[in-house]
Each structure stands twice: as C-alpha cells, then as structure tokens.
Amino acid sequence: MQPLYEGKAKRLYTTDDPNVLRMEYKDEATAFNAEKKAEFDNKGKLNKAITLAIYNMLEAKGVKTHLVSDVDEINLNVKIVDILQVEVIVRNIAAGSFCKRVGVEEGICFQQPIVEFSYKSDALGDPLINADYAREMGLATEEESAELKEKALVVNDVLIEFFQQCGMKLVDFKIEFGRTRDTGEIVLADEVSPDTCRLWDLETGKKMDKDRFRQDLGGVMESYAEVLERINKHV
Ligand code: TMP
C-alpha cells in the first residue's frame, strides 16, 4: 500500500488492485476551511461505520457508489474514480452558510430542496459556483451538471426518509461524485457522515453533527456515536 493523497479527514492509499483504493478515515476534524482544527478519538471509526451503512443502504435503493468493501475499523476499499471538482450541496432547511449569505434565520424549511454547487478548492475555500461556471471552467458539462443535480436530489429523497426513520431531520448535506475509469459512469464518492450532513433530532431539535464542533456545543463524538447507533437499528 502506498499513500496517494491526504485530505482534511481522510487518506487514500493504492492497493494491489489498480482499480481499488483504500480510504482511511482520520480522527482529525476541521471547520471553516481548516481555520479551526481538533482531533477526536474514534471520529475515523464512527464516520467510516456511518458511511459504510449509508452507502449500503443507498446501493440497496439503486444509488451507485464507489464502495467496494469494508476493510477494518477505519478503512474502506473504494473503486478508483476521478472526483469531479464540483461539490454538490442539498439544503432542506436553512442553516450554515445559507443563513449567513442571505441573512435568514436558521430552521426555516424550504418548500423544495435547494441544490448548490461549489468549486472543490481548499485554496479558494470551496466557493459557490453554478452550472455556467462549471461549464466554462471545464469542471462539468451542462449535461453533467444536470445529472449531478438529479442524482443529488435522489440521494436527498432516500436520505430524508432514512434519517426520519432514525429519528433525525436531514437539514442539509454535501456530496461528491466521481467518474469510473472503466465505464465513465458518475457515481457517489467520498463520505456521508455527520461531518458532511447536518442532522437534528426529530423531537428535540438537538444538533447531532459537526455543528457541535463548529459552534463549540460539546459532546461531538457522543452525538456521532448516537447517529451510528440509530442508523444501525434501521439497516
Ligand atoms: P454550509 O452551510 O457550511 O455551506 O454547509 C452545507 C453542508 O455541507 C453541511 O451539511 C456541511 C457540509 N459541508 C461539508 O461537508 N464540507 C464543507 O467543506 C462545507 C463548507 C460544508
């Protein structure tokens, strides 16, 4: 195994199989484009287990992902894909940068989901873009942008229902897609975890995601563990 790439929350390694990479989930957490940093025992373990359960659930519902197999506590094997440099954010309830950008209160429910694109660039702080930017920057064709939006909305529908069964509201999330090298198909990649989704308890409204770290609410890993426990009861 050779280290290939290190991001803020994960590391990628090559494996003996040229089509497969090993994805290691780290304990490090960052927020606000890495202005804020911390390390949490078990974060890698929890996020790996949550992503694995969600990917399996999504696959069962017909959503293709780059998951190949579970490896151990902090590693998954994933199909090698070329990650599109467009992050897709879906919002069901106003929170985070949406509230900041347009000056509305957190918690307002949208009539229909909002889909946003951002340019995956740490140097620029993942700025908001649209399909025209993506086309002119060569990140995605118009057809691909439409496909990303359509796929993200399908993921949203499946996740809303699933998290609802787990007693949580899916406020918003960020996903990434990759193109497979064999067929060129666009599949879900990266992770789906409380680092990348906002989740509120259905009854109390308690925040159960990385906002506990961003906003210094405490009990970050306790909440991630509770998210995993609830998910495991419903898969
Ligand atoms: P935002 O409100 O800060 O734009 O975040 C929207 C969603 O995207 C939220 O669920 C957190 C997730 N997210 C990431 O996964 N990575 C990021 O770098 C950012 C900024 C947000």
Side-chain angles (χ1 to χ4, degrees), residues 8 33 87 89-91 95-99 101 116 126 171-175 195-198 210 214:
K8 289 184 294 228
N33 206 25
E87 299 188 347
I89 292 150
V90 182
R91 301 181 188 274
S97 67
F98 178 87
C99 295
R101 182 174 304 116
E116 257 173 49
D126 300 338
V171 175
D172 57 32
F173 61 92
K174 181 268 302 180
I175 47 177
D195 272 10
T196 60
C197 301
R198 284 195 175 91
K210 197 159 99 175
R214 295 189 189 99

Short mmCIF file of all heavy atoms in Angstrom, two decimals, residues 8 33 87 89-91 95-99 101 116 126 171-175 195-198 210 214, ligand 1:
data_model
loop_
_atom_site.label_atom_id
_atom_site.label_comp_id
_atom_site.label_asym_id
_atom_site.label_seq_id
_atom_site.Cartn_x
_atom_site.Cartn_y
_atom_site.Cartn_z
N LYS A 8 -8.40 16.53 4.45
CA LYS A 8 -8.55 17.01 5.82
C LYS A 8 -9.09 15.91 6.74
O LYS A 8 -8.78 15.90 7.93
CB LYS A 8 -9.46 18.24 5.85
CG LYS A 8 -8.74 19.47 5.24
CD LYS A 8 -9.59 20.72 5.34
CE LYS A 8 -10.82 20.61 4.50
NZ LYS A 8 -11.10 21.74 3.65
N ASN A 33 -12.91 26.02 6.61
CA ASN A 33 -11.76 25.86 5.74
C ASN A 33 -10.46 25.72 6.54
O ASN A 33 -9.45 26.35 6.24
CB ASN A 33 -11.68 27.00 4.72
CG ASN A 33 -10.95 26.57 3.46
OD1 ASN A 33 -10.90 25.39 3.13
ND2 ASN A 33 -10.36 27.52 2.77
N GLU A 87 -18.49 20.20 -5.75
CA GLU A 87 -19.18 19.64 -4.59
C GLU A 87 -20.64 20.00 -4.72
O GLU A 87 -20.98 21.11 -5.15
CB GLU A 87 -18.60 20.21 -3.29
CG GLU A 87 -17.12 19.87 -3.12
CD GLU A 87 -16.56 20.25 -1.76
OE1 GLU A 87 -17.22 21.00 -1.01
OE2 GLU A 87 -15.45 19.80 -1.46
N ILE A 89 -24.21 20.49 -2.82
CA ILE A 89 -24.84 20.68 -1.51
C ILE A 89 -26.35 20.72 -1.71
O ILE A 89 -26.84 21.38 -2.63
CB ILE A 89 -24.34 21.99 -0.87
CG1 ILE A 89 -22.85 21.85 -0.51
CG2 ILE A 89 -25.14 22.36 0.38
CD1 ILE A 89 -22.08 23.12 -0.56
N VAL A 90 -27.06 19.97 -0.89
CA VAL A 90 -28.52 19.99 -0.93
C VAL A 90 -29.01 20.50 0.41
O VAL A 90 -28.54 20.06 1.46
CB VAL A 90 -29.11 18.59 -1.23
CG1 VAL A 90 -30.63 18.66 -1.32
CG2 VAL A 90 -28.53 18.01 -2.50
N ARG A 91 -29.93 21.46 0.37
CA ARG A 91 -30.46 22.05 1.60
C ARG A 91 -31.98 21.87 1.67
O ARG A 91 -32.68 22.23 0.72
CB ARG A 91 -30.17 23.55 1.64
CG ARG A 91 -28.70 23.89 1.57
CD ARG A 91 -28.47 25.40 1.64
NE ARG A 91 -27.07 25.71 1.39
CZ ARG A 91 -26.13 25.72 2.34
NH1 ARG A 91 -26.45 25.48 3.59
NH2 ARG A 91 -24.87 25.99 2.02
N ALA A 95 -29.68 26.76 7.15
CA ALA A 95 -28.64 26.64 8.19
C ALA A 95 -27.32 27.09 7.58
O ALA A 95 -27.24 27.33 6.37
CB ALA A 95 -28.54 25.20 8.70
N GLY A 96 -26.31 27.18 8.44
CA GLY A 96 -24.93 27.37 7.99
C GLY A 96 -24.73 28.55 7.05
O GLY A 96 -25.23 29.66 7.28
N SER A 97 -23.99 28.29 5.95
CA SER A 97 -23.60 29.39 5.08
C SER A 97 -24.80 29.99 4.34
O SER A 97 -24.76 31.14 3.92
CB SER A 97 -22.54 28.94 4.07
OG SER A 97 -23.07 28.01 3.16
N PHE A 98 -25.88 29.20 4.20
CA PHE A 98 -27.08 29.78 3.57
C PHE A 98 -27.60 30.96 4.40
O PHE A 98 -27.89 32.04 3.87
CB PHE A 98 -28.18 28.70 3.43
CG PHE A 98 -29.45 29.25 2.84
CD1 PHE A 98 -29.62 29.31 1.46
CD2 PHE A 98 -30.47 29.75 3.65
CE1 PHE A 98 -30.77 29.84 0.90
CE2 PHE A 98 -31.62 30.29 3.10
CZ PHE A 98 -31.77 30.34 1.72
N CYS A 99 -27.70 30.74 5.72
CA CYS A 99 -28.23 31.79 6.60
C CYS A 99 -27.31 33.01 6.58
O CYS A 99 -27.78 34.15 6.54
CB CYS A 99 -28.35 31.27 8.03
SG CYS A 99 -29.56 29.96 8.17
N ARG A 101 -25.26 33.91 4.17
CA ARG A 101 -25.22 34.57 2.87
C ARG A 101 -26.44 35.45 2.64
O ARG A 101 -26.32 36.56 2.12
CB ARG A 101 -25.12 33.52 1.75
CG ARG A 101 -25.02 34.11 0.36
CD ARG A 101 -24.76 33.05 -0.72
NE ARG A 101 -23.57 32.26 -0.42
CZ ARG A 101 -23.57 30.96 -0.16
NH1 ARG A 101 -24.68 30.27 -0.19
NH2 ARG A 101 -22.45 30.35 0.12
N GLU A 116 -26.98 23.39 -4.52
CA GLU A 116 -25.89 24.34 -4.75
C GLU A 116 -24.68 23.60 -5.27
O GLU A 116 -24.46 22.45 -4.90
CB GLU A 116 -25.43 24.87 -3.38
CG GLU A 116 -25.87 26.23 -2.99
CD GLU A 116 -25.46 26.50 -1.55
OE1 GLU A 116 -24.29 26.28 -1.16
OE2 GLU A 116 -26.35 26.92 -0.80
N ASP A 126 -13.55 26.58 -1.26
CA ASP A 126 -14.74 25.96 -1.89
C ASP A 126 -15.83 26.98 -2.23
O ASP A 126 -16.94 26.90 -1.70
CB ASP A 126 -15.34 24.87 -0.97
CG ASP A 126 -14.37 23.75 -0.65
OD1 ASP A 126 -13.41 23.55 -1.40
OD2 ASP A 126 -14.60 23.07 0.38
N VAL A 171 -31.10 18.21 7.55
CA VAL A 171 -31.14 19.66 7.30
C VAL A 171 -30.48 19.98 5.95
O VAL A 171 -31.07 20.63 5.09
CB VAL A 171 -30.43 20.42 8.44
CG1 VAL A 171 -30.35 21.91 8.15
CG2 VAL A 171 -31.16 20.14 9.75
N ASP A 172 -29.25 19.50 5.78
CA ASP A 172 -28.52 19.70 4.52
C ASP A 172 -27.36 18.72 4.46
O ASP A 172 -27.08 18.03 5.45
CB ASP A 172 -28.04 21.15 4.35
CG ASP A 172 -27.15 21.63 5.49
OD1 ASP A 172 -26.42 20.80 6.07
OD2 ASP A 172 -27.18 22.83 5.81
N PHE A 173 -26.72 18.62 3.33
CA PHE A 173 -25.53 17.77 3.20
C PHE A 173 -24.72 18.17 1.98
O PHE A 173 -25.21 18.87 1.10
CB PHE A 173 -25.90 16.28 3.12
CG PHE A 173 -26.76 15.91 1.94
CD1 PHE A 173 -26.18 15.48 0.74
CD2 PHE A 173 -28.13 15.96 2.02
CE1 PHE A 173 -26.97 15.12 -0.35
CE2 PHE A 173 -28.94 15.61 0.93
CZ PHE A 173 -28.36 15.19 -0.26
N LYS A 174 -23.47 17.71 1.98
CA LYS A 174 -22.57 17.92 0.83
C LYS A 174 -22.17 16.55 0.34
O LYS A 174 -21.81 15.67 1.14
CB LYS A 174 -21.34 18.69 1.31
CG LYS A 174 -20.32 19.02 0.25
CD LYS A 174 -19.21 18.03 0.05
CE LYS A 174 -18.37 17.72 1.24
NZ LYS A 174 -17.30 16.75 0.97
N ILE A 175 -22.23 16.34 -0.96
CA ILE A 175 -21.73 15.09 -1.52
C ILE A 175 -20.79 15.37 -2.69
O ILE A 175 -20.79 16.47 -3.24
CB ILE A 175 -22.86 14.12 -1.98
CG1 ILE A 175 -23.91 14.86 -2.81
CG2 ILE A 175 -23.48 13.39 -0.81
CD1 ILE A 175 -25.01 13.96 -3.35
N ASP A 195 -19.96 14.63 9.53
CA ASP A 195 -19.07 15.71 9.08
C ASP A 195 -19.67 16.43 7.88
O ASP A 195 -19.37 17.61 7.65
CB ASP A 195 -17.71 15.13 8.63
CG ASP A 195 -16.70 14.98 9.76
OD1 ASP A 195 -17.09 15.13 10.93
OD2 ASP A 195 -15.53 14.70 9.46
N THR A 196 -20.44 15.70 7.09
CA THR A 196 -20.90 16.24 5.80
C THR A 196 -22.41 16.42 5.71
O THR A 196 -22.91 16.84 4.66
CB THR A 196 -20.43 15.32 4.65
OG1 THR A 196 -20.99 14.01 4.85
CG2 THR A 196 -18.92 15.22 4.57
N CYS A 197 -23.12 16.06 6.78
CA CYS A 197 -24.59 16.25 6.82
C CYS A 197 -24.95 17.02 8.08
O CYS A 197 -24.35 16.77 9.13
CB CYS A 197 -25.33 14.92 6.97
SG CYS A 197 -25.04 13.70 5.69
N ARG A 198 -25.92 17.90 8.00
CA ARG A 198 -26.50 18.44 9.25
C ARG A 198 -27.70 17.58 9.63
O ARG A 198 -28.60 17.38 8.78
CB ARG A 198 -26.93 19.89 9.11
CG ARG A 198 -25.79 20.87 9.12
CD ARG A 198 -26.23 22.32 9.33
NE ARG A 198 -25.04 23.16 9.45
CZ ARG A 198 -24.45 23.77 8.41
NH1 ARG A 198 -24.97 23.68 7.20
NH2 ARG A 198 -23.36 24.49 8.60
N LYS A 210 -21.49 17.90 12.83
CA LYS A 210 -20.26 18.67 13.05
C LYS A 210 -20.52 20.10 13.53
O LYS A 210 -19.59 20.76 13.99
CB LYS A 210 -19.40 18.67 11.77
CG LYS A 210 -17.97 19.09 12.03
CD LYS A 210 -17.01 18.63 10.96
CE LYS A 210 -16.73 19.71 9.99
NZ LYS A 210 -15.71 19.32 9.00
N ARG A 214 -18.26 22.95 15.23
CA ARG A 214 -18.16 24.32 14.68
C ARG A 214 -18.61 25.35 15.70
O ARG A 214 -18.03 26.42 15.82
CB ARG A 214 -19.03 24.46 13.43
CG ARG A 214 -18.60 23.60 12.25
CD ARG A 214 -19.40 23.97 10.98
NE ARG A 214 -19.15 23.03 9.90
CZ ARG A 214 -19.96 22.02 9.59
NH1 ARG A 214 -21.09 21.84 10.24
NH2 ARG A 214 -19.64 21.20 8.61
P1 TMP B 1 -22.60 25.15 4.73
O1 TMP B 1 -23.91 25.59 5.26
O2 TMP B 1 -21.45 25.48 5.64
O3 TMP B 1 -22.37 25.61 3.32
O4 TMP B 1 -22.63 23.57 4.67
C1 TMP B 1 -23.63 22.86 3.98
C2 TMP B 1 -23.45 21.36 4.21
O5 TMP B 1 -22.26 20.89 3.62
C3 TMP B 1 -23.36 20.97 5.68
O6 TMP B 1 -24.10 19.77 5.86
C4 TMP B 1 -21.92 20.72 5.93
C5 TMP B 1 -21.41 20.28 4.59
N1 TMP B 1 -20.06 20.75 4.31
C6 TMP B 1 -19.05 19.83 4.05
O7 TMP B 1 -19.28 18.62 4.08
N2 TMP B 1 -17.80 20.31 3.77
C7 TMP B 1 -17.50 21.61 3.72
O8 TMP B 1 -16.35 21.96 3.45
C8 TMP B 1 -18.56 22.56 3.98
C9 TMP B 1 -18.29 24.03 3.93
C10 TMP B 1 -19.80 22.08 4.26
#
